Amino acid sequence: MNPKTLLASALIFALPAAASAETGPWTDVAPGAKIRVLTSDHVSADGKMLAGLEFQLSGGMKTYWRIPGESGIPLTADWSNSVNIDHVDFLWPMPKRAISKGYFDYVYDQDFVLPFEIAIDGESDGMSPKLVGNLLMGICGEICVPVTYEISKTLDLSAKDISVSFKLDAALADVPILDDRPNAPFDAVYIDATQNKLVVRPSDDLQENQSLILDLPNQNLLFDVPQNGPGSQLISFQPLRDISLADHVGSTARLTYSGRAGAFEKMVPILSFDAINP
């Protein structure tokens, strides 16, 4: 198990039963869907505060990962009216795969926390930092609807909120980290031009192979679930729209996966199929 996961689990069990995160009020954004904002009220040595969106989704409701999929609505956020804040970055936990009405998506459901980091302006004018955000996202049940969620919160830096920090640390346990293990799998992606698909050599960890997600950063191109065809030792990915992959040789792919050691991601080169070792 990833040491990060062990730490988060230990923190959860150490939390007194009566403690709860009450940072922000719940907002009903759609039938069966509530959101509230959590802030740790603590700035780390690198000038960042950990925060999160806590969701309560019931009755089969779901929302979407950073790559929403075929039918999902991506989460967008405008933080431009914030005060004494440099930028805000979402930290995306490992999603679930979902196929509904023939569409393939990456989703979150039930109760979960989407963590994010707030970079505090180190050269502020003395005013307390204020987080102001206008968020747009998809919340889906039987139908999919775009919903907005607005944040306007002056950040209290005087004392760390212990109970909220425990909850945010637990959410971080599911966020993929850079896979810098000495024997990390998936060193490259290869283009099989004859079948117009991408392939990778498999990991020794079956869970990593099954959970593997491939995407091309900054490109609107979605791939199907990983396949291991009969007689092949390679894992393959087919694009979900009619496009030639040959032009992507020399570019970069992002791989996201979860296994026995935790959740990881890495950037790898895309090479021609001739470069693969037998």
Side-chain angles (χ1 to χ4, degrees):
M1 181 179 289
N2 191 328
K4 181 175 64 174
T5 305
L6 287 172
L7 174 60
S9 298
L11 290 174
I12 292 172
F13 286 116
L15 185 64
S20 61
E22 298 295 344
T23 299
W26 286 107
T27 299
D28 292 298
V29 294
K34 296 180 179 182
I35 304 176
R36 67 177 173 182
V37 64
L38 306 174
T39 56
S40 63
D41 299 340
H42 170 73
V43 180
S44 60
D46 61 357
K48 295 179 180 178
M49 174 185 288
L50 187 60
L53 298 177
E54 184 172 19
F55 289 76
Q56 283 188 353
L57 303 176
S58 61
M61 305 292 287
K62 59 183 180 288
T63 190
Y64 297 93
W65 190 45
R66 57 178 170 80
I67 300 171
E70 291 184 284
S71 67
I73 299 172
L75 170 61
T76 60
D78 177 6
W79 306 104
S80 59
N81 290 323
S82 296
V83 177
N84 290 333
I85 289 174
D86 282 334
H87 59 271
V88 177
D89 296 313
F90 286 105
L91 307 174
W92 298 94
M94 198 73 191
K96 299 177 182 179
R97 292 189 178 100
I99 298 177
S100 176
K101 299 180 180 178
Y103 293 103
F104 171 53
D105 296 310
Y106 293 108
V107 306
Y108 303 115
D109 57 12
Q110 300 179 346
D111 299 344
F112 77 98
V113 174
L114 174 59
F116 59 91
E117 286 184 332
I118 305 168
I120 306 297
D121 186 353
E123 299 180 358
S124 66
D125 52 11
M127 295 178 61
S128 296
K130 185 175 182 179
L131 183 67
V132 179
N134 189 346
L135 282 60
L136 175 67
M137 69 195 78
I139 301 287
C140 296
E142 287 298 319
I143 60 172
C144 200
V145 296
V147 302
T148 58
Y149 179 69
E150 296 183 354
I151 298 172
S152 181
K153 179 176 176 56
T154 300
L155 302 180
D156 182 1
L157 310 182
S158 61
K160 183 176 183 178
D161 189 319
I162 300 299
S163 63
V164 169
S165 295
F166 282 143
K167 180 168 286 194
L168 293 173
D169 286 339
L172 283 181
D174 293 324
V175 174
I177 61 175
L178 176 66
D179 195 350
D180 57 1
R181 294 174 291 173
N183 298 313
F186 314 128
D187 58 337
V189 170
Y190 304 88
I191 293 181
D192 182 347
T194 62
Q195 299 188 52
N196 198 45
K197 65 182 180 181
L198 300 179
V199 300
V200 298
R201 287 190 289 260
S203 168
D204 293 333
D205 184 341
L206 183 60
Q207 296 177 48
E208 292 181 336
N209 297 332
Q210 293 173 339
S211 65
L212 184 59
I213 301 170
L214 184 151
D215 74 280
L216 308 182
N218 304 316
Q219 299 191 45
N220 184 25
L221 182 57
L222 184 67
F223 291 86
D224 203 351
V225 297
Q227 302 288 335
N228 189 210
S232 174
Q233 297 299 314
L234 301 175
I235 299 171
S236 64
F237 294 86
Q238 295 280 0
L240 287 179
R241 60 185 175 92
D242 187 16
I243 185 172
S244 173
L245 296 174
D247 293 339
H248 292 284
V249 172
S251 58
T252 301
R254 176 170 45 194
L255 301 176
T256 308
Y257 46 97
S258 179
R260 295 188 299 265
F264 298 96
E265 71 175 19
K266 63 191 304 186
M267 305 292 288
V268 299
I270 300 178
L271 308 176
S272 71
F273 194 72
D274 294 339
I276 196 167
N277 293 324

